[in-house]
């Protein structure tokens, strides 16, 4: 969102986690002002007056949490914490956990739903508090150039990355990379990346009630018209028709 601003002069009785995946912002707590940028998070202490926002734009995930273990997850996170993209960063996995929490709460109100969402929240918070362990649990052993590039694309599925970003990550020249990538996948890097974005969009259309103009931002495309054209070209139908077709399939089961 743009020009987002929140101030709580008396604080609240919960911790507040804010995870920035795009753009930048700032926050003020305990008399200190901090800048926060992409791939950083922070946790505002409970009971402390605070203020946060952005003067430009940012895309954030946020959650309020409490409980007997809350202080463990919040420890040391009042200052900006980096979640740098590496070969084992698992940023996409973390975001999927958050989306599953939201889907669970949207579609279920029973006690068991609340308990499941709470368990997922522990996993989400632990993926940040115990970053090394979270990454090591699914470490990649094969140092394959193309796998590294595809990994980077998946981790940046919600971002607008450029060829130079991928080249910096994999550490190869453009000509070598482009040739190797097409030989391995049969597609150029950007055609492949767009296909990943559309696959992600399809999943969101099937599993969430998110509006289409929000889904285009969730796959790193800021122009809804371009997103609709790209989706139609890839899937042979518009996003709306795809969602309706999936609903029809569900109703037949």
């Amino acid at each position: 969102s743009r020009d987002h601003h929140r101030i709580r002069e008396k604080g609240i009785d919960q911790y507040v986690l804010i995870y920035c995946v795009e753009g930048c912002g700032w926050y003020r707590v305990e008399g200190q002002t901090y800048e926060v940028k992409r791939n950083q998070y922070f946790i505002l202490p409970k009971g402390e007056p605070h203020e946060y926002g952005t003067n430009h734009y940012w895309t954030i995930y946020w959650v309020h949490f409490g409980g007997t273990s809350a202080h463990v997850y919040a420890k040391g996170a009042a200052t900006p914490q980096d979640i740098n993209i590496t070969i084992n960063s698992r940023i996409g996995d973390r975001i999927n956990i958050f989306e599953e929490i939201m889907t669970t709460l949207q579609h279920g109100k029973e006690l068991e739903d609340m308990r499941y969402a709470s368990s997922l929240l522990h996993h989400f918070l632990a993926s940040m508090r115990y970053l090394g362990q979270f990454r090591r649990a699914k470490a990649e052993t094969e140092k394959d150039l193309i796998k590294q590039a595809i990994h980077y694309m998946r981790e940046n599925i919600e971002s607008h990355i450029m060829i130079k970003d991928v080249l910096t990550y994999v550490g190869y020249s453009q000509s070598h990379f482009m040739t190797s990538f097409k030989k391995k996948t049969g597609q150029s890097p950007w055609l492949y990346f767009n296909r990943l974005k559309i696959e992600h969009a399809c999943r969101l259309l099937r599993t969430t009630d998110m509006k289409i103009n929000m889904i285009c931002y969730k796959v790193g495309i800021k122009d809804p018209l371009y997103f609709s054209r790209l989706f139609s070209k890839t899937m042979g139908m518009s996003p709306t028709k795809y969602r309706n077709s999936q609903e029809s399939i569900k109703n037949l089961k």
Side-chain angles (χ1 to χ4, degrees), residues 11 21 29 31 44 58 133 136 173 177 186:
V21 296
V29 65
L44 298 166
W58 62 3
Q133 289 81 357
R136 193 166 62 238
S173 68
F177 172 69

Side-chain angles (χ1 to χ4, degrees), residues 44-253:
L44 298 166
K46 68 176 183 178
E48 291 288 340
H50 59 255
E51 184 177 3
Y52 61 85
T54 177
N55 297 326
H56 304 285
Y57 85 98
W58 62 3
T59 301
I60 59 173
Y61 291 86
W62 77 93
V63 62
H64 295 209
F65 65 98
T68 56
S69 300
H71 68 285
V72 175
Y73 297 120
K75 183 179 179 181
T79 57
Q81 304 294 302
D82 292 320
I83 302 183
N84 295 321
I85 295 176
T86 69
I87 190 63
N88 300 318
S89 47
R90 299 186 67 193
I91 290 174
D93 289 351
R94 180 182 296 106
I95 290 174
N96 287 340
I97 295 169
F98 189 92
E99 298 291 355
E100 190 166 346
I101 293 171
M102 297 303 297
T103 300
T104 301
L105 295 176
Q106 285 172 359
H107 297 285
K109 303 299 180 185
E110 303 298 326
L111 178 60
E112 293 303 301
D113 296 308
M114 300 302 106
R115 286 174 172 167
Y116 181 59
S118 177
S119 298
L120 289 172
L121 179 60
H122 276 275
H123 192 189
F124 180 78
L125 295 171
S127 76
M128 295 180 167
R129 176 66 177 84
Y130 306 109
L131 184 63
Q133 289 81 357
F134 179 68
R135 291 178 170 178
R136 193 166 62 238
K138 198 176 179 180
E140 295 286 342
T141 56
E142 186 175 351
K143 302 300 183 181
D144 181 77
L145 165 67
I146 307 306
K147 286 190 175 182
Q148 289 184 38
I150 293 173
H151 168 80
Y152 186 84
M153 292 175 182
R154 291 186 185 280
E155 295 288 67
N156 284 278
I157 201 72
E158 298 187 15
S159 303
H160 180 68
I161 60 173
M162 307 294 288
I163 183 68
K164 62 181 178 62
D165 299 314
V166 182
L167 293 174
T168 298
Y169 180 72
V170 298
Y172 280 78
S173 68
Q174 181 169 338
S175 58
H176 176 70
F177 172 69
M178 298 289 279
T179 302
S180 298
F181 195 98
K182 191 164 186 179
K183 182 178 180 181
K184 183 92 172 185
T185 67
Q187 294 179 303
S188 72
W190 301 124
L191 282 176
Y192 193 94
F193 191 35
N194 282 337
R195 183 171 66 80
L196 291 180
K197 287 177 179 286
I198 297 304
E199 287 177 359
H200 187 51
C202 287
R203 187 181 69 82
L204 294 174
L205 287 165
R206 288 194 308 271
T207 61
T208 76
D209 298 323
M210 197 177 297
K211 293 181 179 179
I212 291 171
N213 64 347
M214 289 299 298
I215 288 177
C216 79
Y217 280 95
K218 287 287 291 174
V219 296
I221 298 174
K222 297 179 180 179
D223 183 350
L225 184 59
Y226 172 73
F227 168 73
S228 183
R229 288 201 302 262
L230 179 63
F231 189 98
S232 298
K233 182 179 179 180
T234 305
M235 299 301 298
M237 65 181 76
S238 70
T240 301
K241 285 187 177 180
Y242 179 84
R243 172 170 272 168
N244 291 339
S245 71
Q246 296 302 304
E247 289 296 326
S248 299
I249 293 171
K250 287 180 185 177
N251 292 335
L252 290 174
K253 291 182 178 179

